Amino acid sequence: MATRKRSGSGSKRPKEKVVYIYELLLHGANADQNKQNFWDEFFLLQPNTEAFETELQKLDSAKLCAAKSNLLLLLEKCVDIMDVNDVKRTHNALITLSILTYTMFKKYSNPEDGSVENMFAEFRLGDVEEHIKKLVEKIKELIICDNSDTLRFYCLKLLFIVGSGTDNLDDNLLLEYIMSNNLFDSLKKVLSDSTARLEHGHDIVILLALLVNYRKHDATNPYVVKLSLLDDELALHGFGHVISATLFEFIKQQTTNVLAVQNNSWISSLSSMVGNMFLSDEVDEKMYQIRQNNALLLALYEAVHLNRNFITTLATTQAESSSPPSPSNTLNSHHSISDLSSAPIIDVTQYPTNLLVAVFQYCSVVMMDHKNESSAVNLKLCFIILTCISEDQYANSMMHDSNLTFKIFLHRAHMRHRKATTDRASRPQPLAATLLDLLVEFIVSHFMKKFPMELYLLCTGIIHRVIVYQKRCRVRLIYPWKELWTALISLLKFIVYQEQTLVKKCNIFHLAIQVVNIFNLFITYGDTFLATTSSYDELYYELNREEKVFSEIHAMVLRYTTIEECEYKEDVFKLLNSMVNILAIIKHFQIKIKEWLSAESLSTPTEEQILAQIQKNYDLTLKLQDSLEFFERYTEKPHDLFFRNLVKDVVIDTRKSVYNVIKNYNANKSKEIYEQ
């Protein structure tokens, strides 16, 4: 038998039998010619993943030509040996196939070795087609079998390797076989089983997100159709529980980190340089986790966007006693979590909660980071999800249900111009109120030079949709509207003061129209959804108190109407027309208040006195404006590039994680498998 030197000594040791066989097969030798039971014995040997990958990477064009027949034979034998009753051999066959698939994708994604299309050309799809079809059938059986969680684990990881083989998902020809031989029902069965879901739910949810995005716009994707029509309550709730549990786990960890920093006050006494040395790893780890959550949020988006039945699970109380799935069982690395008994956060395992609560809290964590690109991408996806939810009638009815209240802790960014809050959790309130709190927090905490215009448009669009629902259904949500009005006026103020910088980068007039029309909804239809008559008084008071902002906006708009080369001329005139009522209200009450001050010989009236004058002088005529309730229904097409880049990032991150998970899991599970 071939030997090799032991490192650090002159002695030699026998080469592992499985490595010797790898070399024979990949050199084109007929390894099984003298042994009738060769393959049965081969699949009893524990695979050496590193050696197999190394030998495969050594193959150049000539060597690959010599080894091709053996590689096809290996594929055939791996598929043939799979049996739910033969755990050892099936386990080893799945690992062997995973390494083979991973390495060949990796090899042919290298420009020096050619493209993935060349890989399929080398082997000719006709040579492997029947084997792959048979493999998918075997995987369907193994996923739903109860013999071994380990086999199910490796089946899912093999599917991940296939699904993440190419950066561009649509270029992956192997996925055609998973499209034509649908695995959806098998995956659905695991999601419906609370025990199996705990171990494998995270993988299945992300796998479905990838499969749904394969050429979703080019042809009929069966996974898009199946997910759209899914009405199995257990599967839908399982899908939602996987997402909420994982988001809550992330939230808990971030809350623990914040508390640890606050409790160790001595850190603040160190220099900023030393502080950054301690905090950089923590920040990098948080950014890594946020990026990893893109896959899960993509799955949530697809479910919300495609399946109206899924909407019913959003506000359904979840109080499963089992702990959420650990990232160590998924594509992510393991992260220990310390005791959270004193953390100011609702625990999914101890207090009734739901998926919307998880999404709101998660958004509040991501919003705290203003500068990182990963957070911006993640937050945009969150806002798109909330846009879809805010357009749905049933979701709105749940969020505005006064009998469905939650006490939710929202993270808030530390800012110099406001005091740190002592009440770390809100009062029990409908979910719509918490959603508005979240959006108000975003508005007031993101006034910066690198202005996130797209996020602001999504944010104000969600607010508009929620208020339109209240108007149409005459829902009177008890909410401190003054906080929303103040935030929106601050946004207009920022636009005015940063006009010269912003107008060169984005269409500030479009955003201003959305903000002004939200005020117009309150002015024109507030009597149908404001909970108290005094709310109208407070609205008119705020408009008059901040009359300088609206006057400056008006002056800015008038100036742009005279600029011929203004590329946003249409929106400029729309904004000018939308401000008619606000300017009329300000002018009317400014005159009335000045007359009263003159009559009373006063110069500095109190808020109560101004409110009293507003209540007495509602005798003004306003213009009835059209289309205040109109908003363009969400469509994915304007965000096509965003989703293509997002899916590409998810594919790359999945590929990076899954191979290491297989090797680590194999090392930990090998003894268990071989003792069975």
Side-chain angles (χ1 to χ4, degrees), residues 589-605:
F589 285 104
Q590 289 293 309
I591 292 172
K592 296 294 183 181
I593 290 169
K594 287 178 181 177
E595 289 176 352
W596 177 78
L597 289 174
S598 177
E600 297 294 324
S601 300
L602 291 174
S603 58
T604 54

PDB file of all heavy atoms in Angstrom, residues 589-605:
ATOM      1  N   PHE A 589     -55.210  81.516  10.686  1.00  0.00           N
ATOM      2  CA  PHE A 589     -55.036  81.563  12.137  1.00  0.00           C
ATOM      3  C   PHE A 589     -53.992  82.584  12.559  1.00  0.00           C
ATOM      4  O   PHE A 589     -54.081  83.139  13.669  1.00  0.00           O
ATOM      5  CB  PHE A 589     -54.695  80.167  12.682  1.00  0.00           C
ATOM      6  CG  PHE A 589     -55.884  79.255  12.731  1.00  0.00           C
ATOM      7  CD1 PHE A 589     -56.053  78.241  11.800  1.00  0.00           C
ATOM      8  CD2 PHE A 589     -56.861  79.414  13.708  1.00  0.00           C
ATOM      9  CE1 PHE A 589     -57.150  77.408  11.839  1.00  0.00           C
ATOM     10  CE2 PHE A 589     -57.968  78.580  13.761  1.00  0.00           C
ATOM     11  CZ  PHE A 589     -58.115  77.569  12.816  1.00  0.00           C
ATOM     12  N   GLN A 590     -52.984  82.816  11.719  1.00  0.00           N
ATOM     13  CA  GLN A 590     -52.018  83.855  12.052  1.00  0.00           C
ATOM     14  C   GLN A 590     -52.714  85.216  12.162  1.00  0.00           C
ATOM     15  O   GLN A 590     -52.442  86.003  13.080  1.00  0.00           O
ATOM     16  CB  GLN A 590     -50.910  83.912  10.994  1.00  0.00           C
ATOM     17  CG  GLN A 590     -49.952  82.745  11.021  1.00  0.00           C
ATOM     18  CD  GLN A 590     -49.085  82.709  12.270  1.00  0.00           C
ATOM     19  OE1 GLN A 590     -48.445  83.703  12.629  1.00  0.00           O
ATOM     20  NE2 GLN A 590     -49.077  81.579  12.947  1.00  0.00           N
ATOM     21  N   ILE A 591     -53.641  85.490  11.237  1.00  0.00           N
ATOM     22  CA  ILE A 591     -54.397  86.754  11.285  1.00  0.00           C
ATOM     23  C   ILE A 591     -55.252  86.809  12.540  1.00  0.00           C
ATOM     24  O   ILE A 591     -55.272  87.822  13.268  1.00  0.00           O
ATOM     25  CB  ILE A 591     -55.268  86.899  10.020  1.00  0.00           C
ATOM     26  CG1 ILE A 591     -54.381  87.093   8.786  1.00  0.00           C
ATOM     27  CG2 ILE A 591     -56.246  88.060  10.162  1.00  0.00           C
ATOM     28  CD1 ILE A 591     -55.139  87.061   7.472  1.00  0.00           C
ATOM     29  N   LYS A 592     -55.994  85.735  12.828  1.00  0.00           N
ATOM     30  CA  LYS A 592     -56.883  85.698  13.991  1.00  0.00           C
ATOM     31  C   LYS A 592     -56.101  85.846  15.295  1.00  0.00           C
ATOM     32  O   LYS A 592     -56.522  86.569  16.218  1.00  0.00           O
ATOM     33  CB  LYS A 592     -57.665  84.383  14.010  1.00  0.00           C
ATOM     34  CG  LYS A 592     -58.622  84.196  12.838  1.00  0.00           C
ATOM     35  CD  LYS A 592     -59.754  85.213  12.873  1.00  0.00           C
ATOM     36  CE  LYS A 592     -60.744  84.971  11.741  1.00  0.00           C
ATOM     37  NZ  LYS A 592     -61.841  85.980  11.745  1.00  0.00           N
ATOM     38  N   ILE A 593     -54.960  85.175  15.366  1.00  0.00           N
ATOM     39  CA  ILE A 593     -54.158  85.226  16.595  1.00  0.00           C
ATOM     40  C   ILE A 593     -53.561  86.624  16.779  1.00  0.00           C
ATOM     41  O   ILE A 593     -53.550  87.174  17.899  1.00  0.00           O
ATOM     42  CB  ILE A 593     -53.048  84.151  16.551  1.00  0.00           C
ATOM     43  CG1 ILE A 593     -53.682  82.751  16.669  1.00  0.00           C
ATOM     44  CG2 ILE A 593     -52.045  84.360  17.687  1.00  0.00           C
ATOM     45  CD1 ILE A 593     -52.713  81.618  16.373  1.00  0.00           C
ATOM     46  N   LYS A 594     -53.097  87.229  15.695  1.00  0.00           N
ATOM     47  CA  LYS A 594     -52.532  88.582  15.792  1.00  0.00           C
ATOM     48  C   LYS A 594     -53.602  89.587  16.206  1.00  0.00           C
ATOM     49  O   LYS A 594     -53.347  90.494  17.015  1.00  0.00           O
ATOM     50  CB  LYS A 594     -51.896  88.993  14.466  1.00  0.00           C
ATOM     51  CG  LYS A 594     -50.578  88.294  14.175  1.00  0.00           C
ATOM     52  CD  LYS A 594     -50.007  88.706  12.815  1.00  0.00           C
ATOM     53  CE  LYS A 594     -48.699  87.988  12.534  1.00  0.00           C
ATOM     54  NZ  LYS A 594     -48.162  88.318  11.187  1.00  0.00           N
ATOM     55  N   GLU A 595     -54.798  89.457  15.657  1.00  0.00           N
ATOM     56  CA  GLU A 595     -55.906  90.345  16.041  1.00  0.00           C
ATOM     57  C   GLU A 595     -56.220  90.189  17.520  1.00  0.00           C
ATOM     58  O   GLU A 595     -56.449  91.180  18.228  1.00  0.00           O
ATOM     59  CB  GLU A 595     -57.146  90.035  15.196  1.00  0.00           C
ATOM     60  CG  GLU A 595     -57.021  90.461  13.736  1.00  0.00           C
ATOM     61  CD  GLU A 595     -58.232  90.045  12.918  1.00  0.00           C
ATOM     62  OE1 GLU A 595     -59.082  89.300  13.462  1.00  0.00           O
ATOM     63  OE2 GLU A 595     -58.316  90.442  11.738  1.00  0.00           O
ATOM     64  N   TRP A 596     -56.248  88.963  17.994  1.00  0.00           N
ATOM     65  CA  TRP A 596     -56.551  88.725  19.404  1.00  0.00           C
ATOM     66  C   TRP A 596     -55.442  89.267  20.305  1.00  0.00           C
ATOM     67  O   TRP A 596     -55.714  89.879  21.347  1.00  0.00           O
ATOM     68  CB  TRP A 596     -56.743  87.224  19.635  1.00  0.00           C
ATOM     69  CG  TRP A 596     -56.997  86.885  21.073  1.00  0.00           C
ATOM     70  CD1 TRP A 596     -58.169  87.024  21.749  1.00  0.00           C
ATOM     71  CD2 TRP A 596     -56.033  86.388  22.020  1.00  0.00           C
ATOM     72  NE1 TRP A 596     -58.015  86.631  23.069  1.00  0.00           N
ATOM     73  CE2 TRP A 596     -56.710  86.235  23.246  1.00  0.00           C
ATOM     74  CE3 TRP A 596     -54.684  86.052  21.941  1.00  0.00           C
ATOM     75  CZ2 TRP A 596     -56.073  85.757  24.397  1.00  0.00           C
ATOM     76  CZ3 TRP A 596     -54.047  85.576  23.075  1.00  0.00           C
ATOM     77  CH2 TRP A 596     -54.749  85.440  24.279  1.00  0.00           C
ATOM     78  N   LEU A 597     -54.180  89.034  19.914  1.00  0.00           N
ATOM     79  CA  LEU A 597     -53.060  89.542  20.709  1.00  0.00           C
ATOM     80  C   LEU A 597     -53.107  91.062  20.796  1.00  0.00           C
ATOM     81  O   LEU A 597     -52.841  91.654  21.858  1.00  0.00           O
ATOM     82  CB  LEU A 597     -51.728  89.099  20.083  1.00  0.00           C
ATOM     83  CG  LEU A 597     -51.368  87.618  20.203  1.00  0.00           C
ATOM     84  CD1 LEU A 597     -50.108  87.316  19.413  1.00  0.00           C
ATOM     85  CD2 LEU A 597     -51.164  87.225  21.672  1.00  0.00           C
ATOM     86  N   SER A 598     -53.441  91.691  19.669  1.00  0.00           N
ATOM     87  CA  SER A 598     -53.529  93.150  19.661  1.00  0.00           C
ATOM     88  C   SER A 598     -54.654  93.631  20.564  1.00  0.00           C
ATOM     89  O   SER A 598     -54.484  94.596  21.334  1.00  0.00           O
ATOM     90  CB  SER A 598     -53.749  93.646  18.228  1.00  0.00           C
ATOM     91  OG  SER A 598     -53.908  95.041  18.199  1.00  0.00           O
ATOM     92  N   ALA A 599     -55.787  92.942  20.491  1.00  0.00           N
ATOM     93  CA  ALA A 599     -56.936  93.346  21.318  1.00  0.00           C
ATOM     94  C   ALA A 599     -56.639  93.156  22.793  1.00  0.00           C
ATOM     95  O   ALA A 599     -57.100  93.933  23.636  1.00  0.00           O
ATOM     96  CB  ALA A 599     -58.167  92.543  20.918  1.00  0.00           C
ATOM     97  N   GLU A 600     -55.867  92.084  23.127  1.00  0.00           N
ATOM     98  CA  GLU A 600     -55.561  91.791  24.531  1.00  0.00           C
ATOM     99  C   GLU A 600     -54.255  92.424  24.997  1.00  0.00           C
ATOM    100  O   GLU A 600     -53.878  92.260  26.165  1.00  0.00           O
ATOM    101  CB  GLU A 600     -55.471  90.266  24.720  1.00  0.00           C
ATOM    102  CG  GLU A 600     -56.765  89.527  24.446  1.00  0.00           C
ATOM    103  CD  GLU A 600     -57.845  89.866  25.452  1.00  0.00           C
ATOM    104  OE1 GLU A 600     -57.502  90.066  26.640  1.00  0.00           O
ATOM    105  OE2 GLU A 600     -59.031  89.938  25.060  1.00  0.00           O
ATOM    106  N   SER A 601     -53.573  93.116  24.092  1.00  0.00           N
ATOM    107  CA  SER A 601     -52.273  93.746  24.410  1.00  0.00           C
ATOM    108  C   SER A 601     -51.276  92.723  24.964  1.00  0.00           C
ATOM    109  O   SER A 601     -50.584  92.948  25.967  1.00  0.00           O
ATOM    110  CB  SER A 601     -52.458  94.890  25.426  1.00  0.00           C
ATOM    111  OG  SER A 601     -53.316  95.871  24.895  1.00  0.00           O
ATOM    112  N   LEU A 602     -51.195  91.587  24.292  1.00  0.00           N
ATOM    113  CA  LEU A 602     -50.271  90.518  24.703  1.00  0.00           C
ATOM    114  C   LEU A 602     -49.208  90.327  23.630  1.00  0.00           C
ATOM    115  O   LEU A 602     -49.432  90.572  22.447  1.00  0.00           O
ATOM    116  CB  LEU A 602     -51.025  89.201  24.903  1.00  0.00           C
ATOM    117  CG  LEU A 602     -51.986  89.125  26.100  1.00  0.00           C
ATOM    118  CD1 LEU A 602     -52.750  87.810  26.070  1.00  0.00           C
ATOM    119  CD2 LEU A 602     -51.224  89.265  27.413  1.00  0.00           C
ATOM    120  N   SER A 603     -48.038  89.882  24.069  1.00  0.00           N
ATOM    121  CA  SER A 603     -46.964  89.609  23.105  1.00  0.00           C
ATOM    122  C   SER A 603     -46.533  88.143  23.117  1.00  0.00           C
ATOM    123  O   SER A 603     -46.088  87.607  22.099  1.00  0.00           O
ATOM    124  CB  SER A 603     -45.746  90.493  23.407  1.00  0.00           C
ATOM    125  OG  SER A 603     -45.283  90.263  24.725  1.00  0.00           O
ATOM    126  N   THR A 604     -46.650  87.490  24.277  1.00  0.00           N
ATOM    127  CA  THR A 604     -46.215  86.090  24.385  1.00  0.00           C
ATOM    128  C   THR A 604     -47.344  85.240  24.961  1.00  0.00           C
ATOM    129  O   THR A 604     -47.406  85.003  26.170  1.00  0.00           O
ATOM    130  CB  THR A 604     -44.972  85.976  25.286  1.00  0.00           C
ATOM    131  OG1 THR A 604     -45.250  86.612  26.554  1.00  0.00           O
ATOM    132  CG2 THR A 604     -43.768  86.626  24.635  1.00  0.00           C
ATOM    133  N   PRO A 605     -48.235  84.770  24.127  1.00  0.00           N
ATOM    134  CA  PRO A 605     -49.355  83.958  24.617  1.00  0.00           C
ATOM    135  C   PRO A 605     -48.899  82.552  25.004  1.00  0.00           C
ATOM    136  O   PRO A 605     -47.873  82.051  24.524  1.00  0.00           O
ATOM    137  CB  PRO A 605     -50.288  83.911  23.412  1.00  0.00           C
ATOM    138  CG  PRO A 605     -49.379  84.038  22.234  1.00  0.00           C
ATOM    139  CD  PRO A 605     -48.285  84.964  22.672  1.00  0.00           C
TER     140      PRO A 605
END
